[in-house]
Amino acid sequence: QNFDTEAADVGAFVAPREGGRFAVGVALHACGSATDLALAACVRGHAAFVASPCCIGKVRPRKKGRVVTDGRCSGIPMPRSHLFGGVMDEKEYMCLAAAADHHHGGGDAPSPMHQAAKIYLELDRLAGMAERKYCV
């Protein structure tokens, strides 16, 4: 067997191999902070990553130092990068996340503001991974 797979709650994921290392983390339809949890697991596991984020508006502000998403805490600070952290605080980040939130399927196409806000949030995630020595 060349590989193992595991489908799990990303917030509770613990790498099964010795030392907690794994090769690649894949997060599909990772709503809200689930993308950030998956990226953090990849950093801890020294793993490459493939992420398909969605539902940006489900990112929630920290509660007593922890980020809340769908009722659970992740402990991940926002913004994710020092680059974005130098120009906005968590409250401004949450405003950006709210601006990025747009539900598809209801007829209206995302506005340029929605699209730009989502791009900035994803750039923050990528900058955070680049700061952790990932090639993005």
Side-chain angles (χ1 to χ4, degrees):
Q1 181 176 346
N2 292 332
F3 64 91
D4 295 321
T5 61
E6 182 171 342
D9 176 343
V10 68
F13 174 74
V14 177
R17 296 186 184 269
E18 187 176 321
R21 290 179 175 257
F22 57 101
V24 180
V26 178
L28 301 177
H29 196 75
C31 291
S33 295
T35 297
D36 301 298
L37 289 166
L39 295 177
C42 289
V43 169
R44 285 191 310 275
H46 305 279
F49 67 90
V50 176
S52 177
C54 68
C55 306
I56 297 295
K58 289 186 180 179
V59 172
R60 298 289 180 254
R62 290 192 289 178
K63 186 176 184 179
K64 294 184 181 179
R66 297 177 69 79
V67 175
V68 177
T69 176
D70 299 332
R72 296 174 302 207
C73 296
S74 68
I76 296 175
M78 304 291 174
R80 299 292 299 127
S81 69
H82 295 294
L83 175 67
F84 278 66
V87 296
M88 68 174 57
D89 61 19
E90 186 175 89
K91 185 176 178 180
E92 292 165 323
Y93 181 91
M94 297 316 303
C95 289
L96 188 62
D101 194 24
H102 180 79
H103 300 284
H104 296 287
D108 291 340
S111 71
M113 181 203 63
H114 286 107
Q115 292 173 332
K118 185 170 182 170
I119 288 168
Y120 283 124
L121 290 179
E122 298 307 341
L123 286 173
D124 174 52
R125 286 175 168 152
L126 291 173
M129 294 306 281
E131 290 169 1
R132 289 161 181 82
K133 308 298 183 214
Y134 279 80
C135 182
V136 295

